[in-house]
Amino acid sequence: MIDFVWLPLDNWIVAIGVVTAMACALPGCFLLLRGQAMLGDAIAHAVLPGIALGYLFFGTTEPLLMLASAAAVGLLTAFLVQVLHRVGGVEEGAAMGVVFTSLFALGLVLIRRVADDVHLDAEHVIFGAIELAPAFTVSVGFIEVPRALLVAAVMLLVNVLFIALFFKELRLCIFDPSFAQTAGWRPGVVHYTLIALTASTMVAAFEAVGSILVLAMLIVPGASARLLTNRLLPMLLVSLVVAAVCAVVGHLSAITLPQLAGFEDASSSGMIAAISGVVFLGVLLLAPVNGLLPRGVHRFREAVSIVSEDVLGALYRVRELTGDPGAGVDRQHLAGLLGGGPVLALALRRLLGTRRIRREGAVYLLTDRGERAARRLVRRHRLWETWLVEELGLRPDHVHSTAERLEHVTSPEMARSLSLATHGRATDPHDKEIPAMGNGGEDTDTREDLGR
Amino acid sequence: MTGPTLAELLSLHSYNTRVVLTGTALLGLASGVVGTFLLLRRRALLSDALSHATLPGVVLAFLLLAALGGDARALPLLLLGAAVTGVLGMLAVTLLGRYTRLKEDTALAIVLSTFFGFGIALLSIAQQVTNVSAAGLNDFIYGKAASMLLADAWLIAGAAALTLICVSLLFKEFRLLCFDSGYTGAVGFPVLGLDLLLMALVVLVTVIGLQTVGLILIVSLLIIPPAAARFWTDRLPVMTIAGGAIGMASTVTGSLFSATFERLPGGAMIVLAAAVLFLVSFFFGTRRGLMMKLHRQWASARQVTLQNLLRDAWEWRETSGNAAFTLGQLHPYRSLSRVKLARAARRARRRGLIREESSGSYTFTREGERLAARMVRSHRLWELYLITHADIAPSHVDRDADAIEHILDPALLDRLEGVLREAARLPEIPSPHRLATEGEGGPKEEER
């Protein structure tokens, strides 16, 4: 039902989107690492008067001129924020808010009053019109390329060169400005150079995506990359890939998704920003180590393994209390002790599968194998209790919950040392027997024994 | 100029003007008041993410209503949509800041740009809707104060009333929250609940103000007036009222201007008015304004020069044995121009610290001698302290002591004296100790 039409025009649109996004992603990474992502937002708003004033004074929308005047206003923004913050004592976020809204308002008024004609309307600058960008071409050698593509490619090149040349300095000044200062670098200069570069890159991107959506291209690829790696160079490279992917998928979605609801194409620049958000969300959930999903799975598995051990402990204690080797516990009872739900269900399944427990009717019983593991666990619990009371002088009725947690993370070496430290006592502070590990096999269990 | 003249507007003749001015004034008041707490809670930029995140909500509500055949321009429903996605955006910022390793400003930037992008994409779809015109949706982005209807004004009035009631009832709680949220929790106030209520008020003001100022600029109404008010006062009640007043003044001035002159967008003019008020406060604010700070610095520099003059005169008397001194004799002591020295001497004479015996020759008055003794005492005590306890060579302590002698208070001097006496340093060096207790029965007692 999706009518997929791909015109030569779309090639250009995607090319412009990809190059622009990549050009933006690079300075964005550094802004983000400096904790100044919102300065990007401030500059994105504030270049509006820069463009308007440039047009007002020079009467053209010549790209180079626009870049220069916007870069100047970008620098001015960063500088004014610092002045308000340092001299006026205004909190930095608020200072940004004051500066960029004022400048943006000034830009709106200027454009309405002075330059209200073909080339400069506020909407174009704010929303961007990537669909129209291929229409304005310049000839390079013997081929015609869209002007926006050329400008973005130049900015990408400049950014890559700048980062390649000053990689060490940038890294130093971003991660440890005070050290950089004492080592004789000039973090301030690096900072303002970066701001100027960011501002010009953003202006270069306006034609394609508009001033506010450019923020998505600036920050989102870097933020996604940040979740995927801890190293600067890989982060930069990953951010380039993410940027390209967002641009391609964004445009594709813009020309296909609205058809599902029976509409024509949606705004590509808007869609690219929205898709960036989706990509970011995907990375946030699925990132191999730090993703929310892998982290959740890891935690769940930990929980299952702890509950498995607790089941063994509970079965052992029941047997000890009743003195009946055939005593078992039913599921309802276990759920009351350890909390029910899928964690308990999985733990029981695992214990049954590894033959540590068996099932007779409704009750669960320890097998011989399971008993060994259970003894080990209970031994550790009681060793800890003894040690906590004897050595740390805690009250006997206060140590149970601590021992309950420590028993799961005690290595064989630790258990041996505990046993030595408590002088091989046979009973714990509550006069319960500390189970011995027979035939000299003192705590020599392996992870396999505990069923992990 | 085809609009009404300023005089016509100010006389509030036109019904429309009355509505617009009342509505915008109330909006400015409410946002200034709420913004005060937002600013002090250091969450000013959160409102920026919030306001941008309202766009997809507005457009989604419009699309839904259009699809269901309802009145797609029913303002309350559009605003409800705005509030829903706005809150979602704020929630996303909070969660990202808390559960990932990204900094909060990154979270703000991500939410702001992607939500807004989604809104723009939806907007381009909404413009294809045929049965209802989506033209009005643009007003949510740039604002259109002039087209305010009576119903809109009532909506704003209701929201403003609610805001003011909440703030005045919970003033104490909000104050605690802004200045010491940890303590607020410790004494049993629900910090999370208060924060949520504050944010709810921010959402309310933002959503209500969307149509008037536009979503890009509404944040300025929340930030600029309180930031300006901060320059005038250190007291929260005053700041709250001043924030509201400045907000009101900005909205009223801005709408008047945009109504009087053609081609001045109302929202932007309101922000520019606020910016001008901010600049005025920045320079002339009586509490933290730039002029005030400079004046304070200048006054303290003058004070320091005066005190230096007195100490120099004392030391001149000590070394030469002459009770009288001339400015020429004091001049070599410091790198101070003769003009400034003469000015300082004039000030000292006016304050009755020194008197002119014959032309060009001065002696201390009783008051001046006492003050000079105190300066010399604090200078030498500090020198001694540096020598004894900081192991600094005697030849190096003079400058350090010079810098600090002007700000040592009597209680600290007493402690210095106690410490030095304990270290058995004081009696051995007669000069400072004798100076300290000499004259008028010891400055120590008198200063208490």
Side-chain angles (χ1 to χ4, degrees), chain A residues 70-87:
Chain A
V73 176
L75 281 176
L76 182 71
T77 310
F79 176 72
L80 283 181
V81 169
Q82 281 306 308
V83 168
L84 288 197
H85 180 52
R86 296 257 167 84
V87 180

Side-chain angles (χ1 to χ4, degrees), chain B residues 59-397:
Chain B
V59 188
L60 270 180
F62 173 86
L63 284 173
L64 270 181
L65 288 172
L68 298 175
D71 175 13
R73 280 186 285 180
L75 188 61
L77 294 174
L78 294 186
L79 294 187
L80 185 68
V84 168
T85 49
V87 168
L88 268 182
M90 249 174 20
L91 210 64
V93 170
T94 315
L95 292 179
L96 282 180
R98 187 168 299 175
Y99 293 111
T100 69
R101 51 169 129 169
L102 298 173
K103 297 179 181 124
E104 177 158 15
D105 68 297
T106 311
L108 283 173
I110 292 172
V111 168
L112 188 157
S113 57
T114 54
F115 273 64
F116 193 68
F118 186 47
I120 298 289
L122 285 175
L123 193 60
S124 64
I125 290 175
Q127 268 147 6
Q128 299 166 18
V129 173
T130 43
N131 54 350
V132 205
S133 161
L137 291 180
N138 270 351
D139 290 346
F140 284 95
I141 298 177
Y142 300 111
K144 199 163 190 191
S147 64
M148 191 183 287
L149 302 175
L150 186 60
D152 305 341
W154 273 116
L155 203 62
I156 293 177
L162 187 64
T163 312
L164 293 182
I165 290 171
C166 276
V167 168
S168 41
L169 285 183
L170 294 173
F171 190 78
K172 182 185 65 185
E173 285 79 0
F174 279 151
R175 166 158 37 193
L176 264 180
L177 181 74
C178 290
F179 289 108
D180 195 341
S181 57
Y183 176 75
T184 315
V187 293
F189 289 108
V191 173
L192 185 68
L194 285 172
D195 256 338
L196 285 179
L197 182 63
L198 183 58
M199 288 306 141
L201 290 180
V202 172
V203 172
L204 184 68
V205 171
T206 308
V207 166
I208 294 298
L210 280 184
Q211 263 210 321
T212 312
V213 201
L215 64 86
I216 302 178
L217 290 176
I218 178 69
V219 43
S220 63
L221 272 189
L222 286 162
I223 298 178
I224 300 182
R230 187 72 187 89
F231 288 108
W232 297 95
T233 175
D234 279 336
R235 296 185 35 77
L236 183 61
V238 184
M239 184 179 161
T240 314
I241 294 169
I246 294 176
M248 225 157 141
S250 329
T251 45
V252 169
T253 321
S255 354
L256 277 179
F257 263 95
S258 104
T260 317
F261 302 100
E262 260 198 23
R263 300 215 306 182
L264 281 183
M269 283 318 289
I270 288 176
V271 178
L272 284 186
V276 168
L277 289 177
F278 178 85
L279 275 184
V280 170
S281 311
F282 179 77
F283 285 110
F284 304 109
T286 48
R287 195 65 224 167
R288 301 173 132 206
L290 193 60
M291 291 301 160
M292 210 54 192
K293 273 186 189 162
L294 289 179
H295 173 75
R296 242 177 269 140
Q297 272 175 20
W298 179 69
S300 110
R302 270 171 38 144
Q303 176 82 2
V304 165
T305 320
L306 186 70
Q307 292 179 347
N308 283 342
L309 174 86
L310 292 178
R311 187 161 71 80
D312 294 346
W314 179 284
E315 287 182 344
W316 159 259
R317 194 176 74 175
E318 212 177 28
T319 47
S320 71
N322 279 339
F325 58 92
T326 66
L327 293 184
Q329 286 158 341
L330 295 191
H331 186 250
Y333 277 84
R334 280 172 206 280
S335 56
L336 198 66
S337 73
R338 279 174 195 280
V339 180
K340 281 189 178 164
L341 190 65
R343 246 186 245 153
R346 233 183 358 257
R347 273 201 309 278
R349 226 176 60 197
R350 257 206 313 274
R351 289 199 203 168
L353 299 172
I354 56 176
R355 64 173 155 261
E356 193 164 7
E357 291 294 322
S358 55
S359 75
S361 159
Y362 301 89
T363 54
F364 282 122
T365 62
R366 279 168 72 87
E367 178 70 17
E369 187 160 357
R370 213 166 55 83
L371 192 56
R374 204 175 85 193
M375 293 323 297
V376 173
R377 173 168 173 255
S378 60
H379 181 81
R380 296 192 178 160
L381 275 176
W382 191 257
E383 284 185 338
L384 264 180
Y385 179 77
L386 286 181
I387 295 170
T388 318
H389 290 272
D391 264 346
I392 295 178
S395 55
H396 280 55
V397 293

Side-chain angles (χ1 to χ4, degrees), chain A residues 310-321:
Chain A
D310 284 341
V311 168
L312 293 176
L315 292 178
Y316 181 86
R317 288 189 178 96
V318 166
R319 191 187 267 196
E320 189 183 53
L321 272 177

